[in-house]
Amino acid sequence: MTAPATQELNSTETAEKAFVHAEGIHKRFPVHGGILNRVVANVHAVTDVSFSIARGETLGVVGESGCGKSTLGKMVIRLLEPTEGKVYLEGSEITGLDHKQMMSVRRRMQIIFQDPYSSLNPRLTVRGLLKEAIAFHNVVTPDKMESYIDELIATVGMRPESKDKFPHEFSGGQRQRLGIARALALKPEFIVADEPVSALDVSIQAQVLNLMKDLKEQLGLTMMFISHDLKVVEHFCDNVMVMYLGRVMEKIQSDRLREQAEHPYTRALLGSNPIDDPDERRPLTVLQGDVPSPLNPPPGCPFAGRCPEVQDRCRTEMPPLEMRVNGQAVACWARM
């Protein structure tokens, strides 16, 4: 497992040392209404998120649906623009770059989408899908195009004849392998994997995860792995960042997650996982209440309404993300 990144004490120093660094990221989506179609409210999708990923490391981002994981991932690679905050790649800020300046960065940062079918053009064969991206970015010369496509298909464990088929002719697991091949086609250094196995059967998930883990090690990739499954993240990632209603609740090394997680929300997520050993008996954790609306987030900690350890202060003040000596960080008044 890759050594964890250093503590995020000095934002400038951290941005320079980390391969990918995000600082104070916010994303608000305006809601229009009324006769004049003015902005009447904002959806607070991501609020004040900062993190660093060292080269070769995988950061797992977990949380319930709607917590802002996918929005965050898309902002990191500039598929969405942050409302506030900065993103750095190898110490250079990329949030201020225009379209032309971003072209050289695009090759270095790619994404694997959650739904492999909707993310593949149904009118193009596999050859066409891969050739389109490779030719646009001039990854290889035209005379090496076919051999490079064959190499990509073999890399993800597909047969050579696959390149002449259309996306609808493949199973879900095969389509996700094609999504991985397309992401690898530009020889990226950083990949955002947005719940890449959640749409697949359990029997296929392990195959795709093992493929991604092998490719990460072989190619020296740096990754952000987005998931709602803590078991998958624990197996696949070096560090874990837990989000709730757009905010970071906890950061922790994955090998410490099960035993040393402190935040009540992280503990609740761990307690809601199915039990591996059928002979083991423990009650599953079921959180009461609903997630607050991102249109009108509550003051204080967003988890206060569902937290079993809530204090009066939690309902009025948002706890800071306090860094521990071991690099773990927790945003919880009960843990201060």
Side-chain angles (χ1 to χ4, degrees):
M1 209 174 255
T2 308
T6 56
Q7 292 187 32
E8 297 167 90
L9 299 176
N10 183 296
S11 60
T12 303
E13 183 181 353
T14 303
E16 292 174 352
K17 289 183 177 180
F19 185 66
V20 176
H21 174 71
E23 184 178 318
I25 295 293
H26 294 251
K27 184 62 179 179
R28 296 184 291 272
F29 293 100
V31 178
H32 297 269
I35 297 175
L36 300 178
N37 199 33
R38 293 175 175 171
V39 176
V40 295
N42 285 285
V43 174
H44 297 258
V46 174
T47 304
D48 196 20
V49 173
S50 300
F51 63 87
S52 295
I53 311 176
R55 181 179 284 276
E57 180 182 278
T58 299
L59 173 68
V61 182
V62 297
E64 294 172 276
S65 297
C67 72
K69 306 184 301 294
S70 296
T71 300
L72 178 64
K74 290 173 183 175
M75 284 193 289
V76 171
I77 61 172
R78 291 281 307 275
L79 288 183
L80 285 175
E81 296 297 327
T83 306
E84 297 177 38
K86 299 177 181 179
V87 178
Y88 298 85
L89 180 66
E90 274 197 311
S92 299
E93 185 185 349
I94 64 171
T95 35
L97 301 182
D98 59 27
H99 177 73
K100 184 176 181 181
Q101 293 170 323
M102 273 298 295
M103 288 304 295
S104 60
V105 180
R106 294 288 181 203
R107 277 191 59 175
R108 304 179 67 188
M109 310 173 78
Q110 289 294 301
I111 186 169
I112 301 169
F113 292 99
Q114 178 179 359
D115 185 352
Y117 188 68
S118 63
S119 64
L120 299 174
N121 190 333
R123 294 187 176 91
L124 295 179
T125 62
V126 172
R127 177 193 276 110
L129 287 166
L130 297 175
K131 187 175 181 179
E132 186 177 52
I134 296 167
F136 184 80
H137 288 277
N138 298 313
V139 180
V140 296
T141 56
D143 60 304
K144 296 181 180 178
M145 180 72 72
E146 285 299 315
S147 61
Y148 184 58
I149 290 174
D150 289 340
E151 179 185 339
L152 282 170
I153 291 172
T155 298
V156 297
M158 302 282 287
R159 295 179 179 275
E161 57 268 25
S162 300
K163 64 182 179 182
D164 295 315
K165 295 182 178 180
F166 290 88
H168 72 270
E169 298 181 75
F170 297 97
S171 67
Q174 290 173 322
R175 283 196 289 263
Q176 194 57 286
R177 287 174 183 265
L178 295 176
I180 295 170
R182 186 178 60 177
L184 295 177
L186 303 187
K187 300 181 180 179
E189 299 168 74
F190 175 67
I191 289 180
V192 173
D194 186 7
E195 303 214 37
V197 297
S198 63
L200 306 178
D201 292 339
V202 176
S203 59
I204 306 299
Q205 288 183 7
Q207 297 177 21
V208 175
L209 283 172
N210 288 333
L211 169 65
M212 292 178 63
K213 195 166 188 176
D214 290 343
L215 291 173
K216 174 186 175 295
E217 293 173 357
Q218 292 171 16
L219 304 176
L221 297 171
T222 305
M223 299 184 72
M224 173 187 281
F225 188 90
I226 297 169
S227 179
H228 62 269
D229 191 332
L230 275 176
K231 286 190 175 181
V232 171
V233 168
E234 190 177 16
H235 166 75
F236 192 80
C237 303
D238 299 293
N239 292 312
V240 180
M241 185 167 73
V242 181
M243 292 183 66
Y244 185 84
L245 200 67
R247 289 186 177 272
V248 177
M249 299 288 103
E250 185 164 9
K251 297 178 184 178
I252 187 171
Q253 292 179 40
S254 61
D255 56 1
R256 296 178 178 175
L257 179 64
R258 192 169 297 276
E259 301 298 329
Q260 298 182 30
E262 294 186 32
H263 199 283
Y265 179 59
T266 310
R267 300 305 311 174
L269 289 178
L270 288 166
S272 64
N273 272 332
I275 301 167
D276 294 327
D277 186 352
D279 294 326
E280 182 183 347
R281 291 289 182 265
R282 64 169 172 80
L284 291 176
T285 301
V286 180
L287 287 172
Q288 302 299 318
D290 297 319
V291 180
S293 170
L295 268 172
N296 186 26
C301 177
F303 188 58
R306 307 173 74 191
C307 182
E309 302 178 39
V310 64
Q311 303 174 2
D312 290 341
R313 190 179 187 183
C314 302
R315 303 185 190 279
T316 57
E317 298 179 58
M318 178 64 200
L321 192 64
E322 185 178 68
M323 183 68 71
R324 303 284 194 261
V325 175
N326 62 5
Q328 185 175 348
V330 184
C332 180
W333 290 123
R335 297 292 184 271
M336 295 296 181

